[in-house]
């Protein structure tokens, strides 16, 4: 796919930082235990901003970075598994916050967990055959579904949002994507939805917490990320040495280390920020991409590979020429 360009990048992190030492006070864990098993030191939690709010803040930064107006956007895709509501979509709420209700805009959500942002980028790249300018967001308020008594999961996740503006332009820039999925009917990584209830009876139904079989997810992640990376390089007709920067899903540093050792990737070509933000699911790759751009690590002409995996199970990758 060519004639697609990322014009702007933005991210937003809630203000409430939670350290490993804070978590030591509520569950049987320690700073050393968390860092040695995940690489995470801090994460941020939203107390008064829902997913659409943090998405809006990331979107505004991306729009400003792109040098466009809100009115230039005619496609909004939000990747999230923690929406404000079951319906309406978070993307439609973002449309309203951007003042675009009287414009011709297609807005919808994608639920592919931690792969969601990459799924959304692939969908947007295809839809830009008809539309002109896409706002693509990965955003989560995972704190809504964290079980703070479960030390195996509560130490891993955080909130945040990242966004990009992708536009159809008359340029020779290539993008390639790869995506795959495998149904996880055993619930190795899930958040249960409301259960069924008896007809004609009102009963309280709550959304579940994050549940994860850590060892199973670890093995899947290493295999899936390796496959996704190799497949997208094959599509792009590139080698690992051709790539300037690799941005993996920021879930667990041990997973990333296994992948780069397996594929012989130079660690200096990795962008890692999971120590600061933890696993922000669909926002993870989006935040890392925008932050890397902000730090001057993404320059004109760069070749970047994005890789993700998540509940579903889903996994995906993207090759992007800047």
């Amino acid at each position: 796919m060519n004639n697609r360009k990322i014009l702007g990048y933005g991210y937003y992190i809630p203000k409430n930082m939670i350290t490993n030492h804070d978590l030591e006070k509520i569950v049987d864990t320690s700073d050393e235990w968390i860092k040695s098993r995940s690489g995470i030191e801090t994460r941020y939690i939203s107390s008064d901003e829902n997913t659409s709010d943090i998405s809006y803040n990331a979107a505004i930064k991306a729009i400003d970075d792109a040098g466009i107006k809100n009115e230039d956007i005619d496609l909004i895709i939000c990747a999230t598994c923690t929406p404000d509501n079951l319906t309406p979509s978070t993307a439609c709420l973002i449309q309203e916050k951007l003042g675009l209700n009287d414009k011709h805009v297609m807005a919808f959500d994608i639920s592919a967990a931690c792969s969601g942002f990459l799924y959304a980028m692939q969908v947007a790249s295809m839809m830009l055959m008809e539309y002109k300018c896409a706002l693509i967001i990965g955003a989560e308020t995972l704190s809504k579904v964290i079980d703070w008594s479960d030390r195996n999961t509560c130490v891993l996740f955080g909130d945040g949002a990242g966004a990009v503006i992708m536009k159809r332009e008359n340029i020779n820039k290539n993008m390639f994507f790869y995506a795959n999925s495998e149904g996880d009917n055993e619930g190795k990584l899930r958040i249960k939805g409301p259960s069924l209830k008896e007809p004609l009876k009102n009963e309280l139904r709550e959304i579940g917490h994050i549940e994860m079989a850590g060892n199973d997810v670890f093995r899947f992640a290493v295999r899936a990320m390796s496959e996704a990376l190799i497949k997208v390089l094959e599509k792009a007709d590139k080698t690992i040495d051709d790539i300037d920067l690799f941005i993996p899903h920021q879930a667990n540093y041990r997973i990333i280390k296994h992948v780069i050792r397996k594929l012989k990737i130079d660690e200096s070509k990795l962008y890692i920020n999971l120590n600061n933000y933890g696993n922000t699911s669909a926002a993870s790759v989006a935040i890392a991409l925008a932050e890397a751009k902000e730090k001057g690590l993404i320059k004109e002409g760069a070749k970047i590979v994005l890789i993700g995996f998540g509940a579903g199970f889903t996994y995906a990758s993207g090759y992007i020429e800047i």
Side-chain angles (χ1 to χ4, degrees):
M1 181 75 64
N2 57 16
N3 300 330
R4 306 288 187 270
K5 184 173 176 62
I6 297 178
L7 297 180
Y9 307 73
Y11 70 101
Y12 179 80
I13 306 298
K15 61 181 178 291
N16 299 314
M17 183 177 74
I18 305 296
T19 69
N20 292 345
H21 297 294
D22 292 326
L23 293 169
E24 288 175 343
K25 300 173 184 177
I26 63 170
V27 289
D28 181 16
T29 192
S30 69
D31 176 59
E32 180 57 34
W33 189 90
I34 298 168
K35 286 193 294 189
S36 66
R37 285 161 177 77
S38 69
I40 299 168
E41 299 176 31
T42 60
R43 72 287 294 147
Y44 291 80
I45 300 301
S46 177
S47 59
D48 57 359
E49 296 171 300
N50 214 329
T51 305
S52 66
D53 300 311
I54 63 174
S55 296
Y56 168 78
N57 287 321
I60 287 296
K61 291 183 177 181
I63 291 167
D64 289 344
D65 188 51
I68 65 170
K69 298 178 181 179
N70 294 11
E71 293 77 16
D72 294 326
I73 296 167
D74 58 359
L75 175 63
I76 302 173
I77 306 177
C78 182
T80 185
C81 60
T82 52
D84 292 27
N85 312 290
L86 293 178
T87 192
S89 72
T90 305
C92 283
L93 299 179
I94 297 164
Q95 177 185 355
E96 188 276 332
K97 291 176 189 294
L98 290 172
L100 297 178
N101 275 358
D102 60 344
K103 303 297 180 182
H104 179 232
V105 177
M106 183 177 183
F108 62 95
D109 290 357
I110 284 181
S111 178
C114 308
S115 305
F117 180 68
L118 282 162
Y119 271 47
M121 287 189 75
Q122 182 168 357
V123 170
S125 70
M126 298 299 294
M127 293 186 69
L128 285 174
M129 296 177 68
E130 178 177 350
Y131 293 85
K132 294 179 180 179
C133 185
L135 167 61
I136 308 162
I137 303 167
E140 303 286 9
T141 47
L142 291 166
S143 55
K144 296 187 294 190
V145 291
I146 289 175
D147 179 353
W148 294 106
S149 67
D150 180 4
R151 74 168 189 165
N152 294 313
T153 58
C154 75
V155 302
L156 300 176
F157 298 97
D159 300 341
V164 297
I165 300 294
M166 185 188 295
K167 194 173 182 182
R168 169 163 44 95
E169 291 199 335
N170 186 25
I171 54 171
N172 187 23
K173 299 284 186 180
N174 291 312
M175 286 189 186
F176 294 93
F177 295 95
Y178 174 79
N180 204 351
S181 61
E182 302 170 13
D184 172 27
N185 63 357
E186 296 178 8
K188 294 176 180 176
L189 180 54
R190 68 180 177 184
I191 303 168
K192 289 183 180 178
S195 59
L196 297 170
K197 63 180 183 179
E198 293 184 36
L200 308 181
K201 289 187 177 181
N202 286 326
E203 297 173 318
L204 181 64
R205 290 291 184 266
E206 295 184 354
I207 300 294
H209 294 124
I210 297 171
E211 301 174 30
M212 183 172 69
N215 291 334
D216 292 330
V217 172
F218 190 100
R219 287 190 291 270
F220 162 76
V222 172
R223 171 176 62 82
M225 289 185 75
S226 300
E227 175 187 319
L229 190 138
I230 290 169
K231 291 292 187 182
V232 82
L233 288 177
E234 289 175 354
K235 282 191 168 188
D237 193 25
K238 301 294 180 183
T239 68
I240 285 172
D241 292 338
D242 293 325
I243 305 306
D244 298 301
L245 189 65
F246 295 88
I247 301 180
H249 169 41
Q250 310 287 312
N252 184 304
Y253 189 62
R254 289 195 302 157
I255 292 173
I256 295 169
K257 288 282 283 187
H258 272 69
V259 173
I260 65 172
R261 286 172 183 165
K262 181 178 180 180
L263 300 181
K264 297 180 173 58
I265 296 173
D266 183 348
E267 189 167 356
S268 68
K269 290 187 173 184
L270 286 178
Y271 187 76
I272 303 292
N273 64 3
L274 65 86
N275 56 307
N276 293 326
Y277 305 126
N279 182 349
T280 55
S281 188
S284 164
V285 171
I287 292 170
L289 178 63
E291 190 177 64
K293 175 63 164 54
E294 181 182 67
K295 291 182 176 181
L297 300 176
I298 298 176
K299 302 181 185 301
E300 188 70 21
K303 300 177 180 65
I304 300 173
V305 168
L306 314 174
I307 319 107
F309 71 91
F313 287 115
T314 63
Y315 46 113
S317 53
Y319 166 86
I320 301 170
E321 294 178 355
I322 303 301

